[in-house]
Amino acid sequence: MNIDVAKRIVFKNLGVPNTFFYKGPRNQNETFSGYINKAYPAIFTIITDSGKTMSFTYSDLIIDNLKIL
């Protein structure tokens, strides 16, 4: 996967409710539901069902730190 493929995946799922799996630091894995709110040139934001806004880079998708389930 390259950056263009990651951006296509993000734009395809923009506004669509999904479940995400995030591999955090020090083995702090997290599964949450939400939707991709906005996409910028270097990052994108996800709003969780609890109302929390999280930001990720496209490289998080490339290196499998973030997965869209």
Side-chain angles (χ1 to χ4, degrees):
M1 179 186 305
N2 61 24
I3 196 85
D4 294 327
V5 174
K7 285 184 179 184
R8 256 187 264 132
I9 290 170
V10 167
F11 282 107
K12 187 178 89 175
N13 288 295
L14 200 62
V16 178
N18 282 311
T19 303
F20 301 91
F21 177 75
Y22 176 62
K23 289 185 202 173
R26 298 185 186 164
N27 255 355
Q28 295 175 356
N29 298 333
E30 182 180 1
T31 302
F32 56 91
S33 297
Y35 63 94
I36 299 173
N37 183 34
K38 294 183 180 178
Y40 300 100
I43 65 167
F44 58 95
T45 59
I46 296 175
I47 296 183
T48 64
D49 288 345
S50 62
K52 182 178 172 185
T53 302
M54 304 172 80
S55 64
F56 298 96
T57 63
Y58 297 105
S59 62
D60 287 327
L61 286 174
I62 293 171
I63 62 173
D64 286 334
N65 275 349
L66 179 71
K67 293 183 183 182
I68 301 173
L69 305 177

